[in-house]
Amino acid sequence: MSWTRQFLQWTLEAECPFRSGQGCTVPWEANRQLETLTRIGHAIYDGDVCEGIKVRSTFAKDSRGKTFKIARSGARIADLLRQYGASLDEARKICGGCPANASDPSVSNLAGCQGKLNGFDFDNENLEKVLQKTLKQTGMKKRFSQLFHLTTPLWYGLWIDSPLKPEQSRLLAELFRAAKLDVPVEGLEITHWDFEMPHFLNALDIAATGSMRLHVYVPSVWSCDEYEAWEWEHCPRCKKTLLSDINERSPTQRCKVCRFRFDLPDRMEQLLNSTHYFDIDDGDGAAESNEGNDVVSSESQFHSIQELFGPDREQSFQLRYLIQQGCAPEECDVVLGNEGDSPLLRRIRSVRRGRAVTLADARRKKAPTVAVKFAEKRLRIAINSEVEIDFLLIPAGTFQMGWAGDGTSTPGGHAPGAITISIARPFYLGKVPVTLEQWQALMDSNPNEFDGDGSLPVDRASWLDAQEFCERLTARSGLPCRLPTEAEWEYACRAGTTTRFSTGDELLSSQGNFKPREEFEQADAPKRQTTAVVTYPPNQWGLFDMHGNIFEWCEDCLHEGSEGMPVDGSPYLLNADSQPRQIMRGGSFNKPAAYAASYWRESASADTGPREPCDSALLKFVLDMYWTAHGFRVVCEVI
């Protein structure tokens, strides 16, 4: 989940071949239409362009401790600019000759007619002190009070009027320069201030001449996950976010910042009714998207460096990119060898190595303990005299994994591309996700978010926790117990079907624990939580909760699409040493049905475990709606 901070968006009003309509006057629309151009400009400034490729990187250090970027994926700038109908040189020429271009040429002359002041707190006390002190020392206070709305803090009042009048632009330029805001200010912790504020000051200077109008806009605060977003209550005039107790509100409010009076609708109704969906497929084959989105997404243009150059040229490009950054040639191999050296990644590597040794030993010995009970197509492992784990035999077979596409929904990056997988050997798979009772019997702890009896699934175990559970179960049973691979999980979920769900192309609320679309829009919708593991019917192979209830960890580390996936059903581990996120499958009780599709892929950091306690009623309300429950089920190999 992400949380936006308040920031300023601005644009100088001008005709432009790269933007049109509201993009000429509305800051957020100008930002949207010119986003790719802006990002290319920033990438050039940050040194993230090499040989015509906009590079995405990981980081590593050389032997002296200096940090460098390692190219991992990228996009050809020519492909990114195709939506604008211009080459990079042509775009530079057009933008560089535009009178609305306020950029510093040493930073970027692309899309300089618009920008942001981003990454700082509007309520920062140091910013308020600097502005108040400067107004007093320079004698600007009277002019300021005549031109701007007086608010507390002052910063909110600067952006209520739009477009700014020439005299307002002139005073702001004088104020910011007198306050030395064109250089980083101690205590503000502002990102990109080194070029964002000088850029904005240039725009103010242009607007101060009266030759061009400067439009400003402060978005309200939003919170979102990848597909759903909601707007926090705020003053409609100055956009100050309201964070008072939700139970102590009168319908009519007066903003404490700008003293504007306004009516406030019911809090919960507003939060839920302002939820927006972005390409969410809700299980009936329909997908929604943003209206008027005629800007081409650049994400589809990005590929791994290996895909861009081929496996034989991947490392040579990485070496050239390192040398471009100033890395000594003799240090390049050191940097590449040090990639991904973080505490979490070291722990993941250690866990994988330890598990590999344990599994190999169990496979070699083939010595199940007395805790194991075999039956026809079934296996039971007794954790103690009262608690067992029930496994079902999954036959070997071949299936089409991933998303083939049917023109009715858009999983985006949340599905591997269609690929044929052959599961050569049968395996046992947990009939249900690991339950709280089973977890407590083996681990002697309770990671759960929800209270209930032992038949609830474990709902907040990290990937590392799940690996420890499998390690202990291997020791208990003498059998090789592990997490399923992503291919094994989908194979078992589909159970011979080829539709979106094992139930067909639609998942009904009677078939799995998920959140129907209509409940996202109901203020009085019942609060959902995980359900007992055998509440809903099993799939065709007798497995419960393969659709909904909780996401389930897999053995694979996160990767995009199906490129490089083993076709024998083994886990994808090509980037395991540098990838902290691990694959999850199956959907969650508080997500739409789309997340529970057989092909749907999610991921989370391997150490994502129980949530920290939360004292804020509003924050808890929001987190309750949007956190994901994750547990796992166990594979026991046939020996």
Side-chain angles (χ1 to χ4, degrees), residues 235-252:
C235 171
R237 186 172 182 237
C238 72
K239 306 297 178 64
K240 170 64 177 176
T241 303
L242 307 174
L243 297 174
S244 303
D245 193 305
I246 61 175
N247 296 318
E248 298 178 3
R249 288 284 176 84
S250 62
T252 300

Side-chain angles (χ1 to χ4, degrees), residues 179-246:
K180 298 182 178 179
L181 292 185
D182 53 339
V183 295
V185 178
E186 183 178 357
L188 290 187
E189 300 179 359
I190 302 168
T191 58
H192 302 305
W193 197 256
D194 56 336
F195 62 82
E196 285 189 348
M197 178 55 84
H199 187 195
F200 183 54
L201 286 173
N202 291 341
L204 289 172
D205 290 339
I206 293 172
T209 66
S211 61
M212 208 164 287
R213 298 202 297 178
L214 178 60
H215 298 264
V216 293
Y217 177 72
V218 175
S220 55
V221 175
W222 287 72
S223 301
C224 60
D225 65 12
E226 193 159 0
Y227 290 99
E228 299 138 4
W230 61 98
E231 187 176 24
W232 287 78
E233 289 177 4
H234 59 276
C235 171
R237 186 172 182 237
C238 72
K239 306 297 178 64
K240 170 64 177 176
T241 303
L242 307 174
L243 297 174
S244 303
D245 193 305
I246 61 175

Side-chain angles (χ1 to χ4, degrees), residues 131 142 175 182 188 250 256 362 433 453 492-493 572 630:
L131 293 177
K142 184 176 180 181
L175 174 61
D182 53 339
L188 290 187
S250 62
K256 294 180 180 179
D453 63 31
C493 177
Y572 180 98
H630 42 262

Side-chain angles (χ1 to χ4, degrees), residues 500-567:
R500 297 175 60 229
F501 307 91
S502 64
T503 59
D505 284 326
E506 186 177 1
L507 185 67
L508 304 177
S509 58
S510 60
Q511 296 170 325
N513 186 10
F514 64 93
K515 190 168 185 176
R517 170 63 60 83
E518 60 270 15
E519 288 191 14
F520 283 97
E521 302 172 358
Q522 294 174 1
D524 59 348
K527 183 178 179 180
R528 287 187 165 271
Q529 72 160 70
T530 57
T531 51
V533 292
V534 293
T535 300
Y536 297 92
N539 70 2
Q540 289 85 337
W541 288 352
L543 299 167
F544 289 85
D545 278 356
M546 298 303 283
H547 299 299
N549 213 13
I550 58 165
F551 281 111
E552 299 180 18
W553 292 111
C554 294
E555 190 66 38
D556 308 52
C557 59
L558 176 62
H559 56 102
E560 296 181 5
S562 56
E563 180 74 22
M565 284 191 66
V567 295

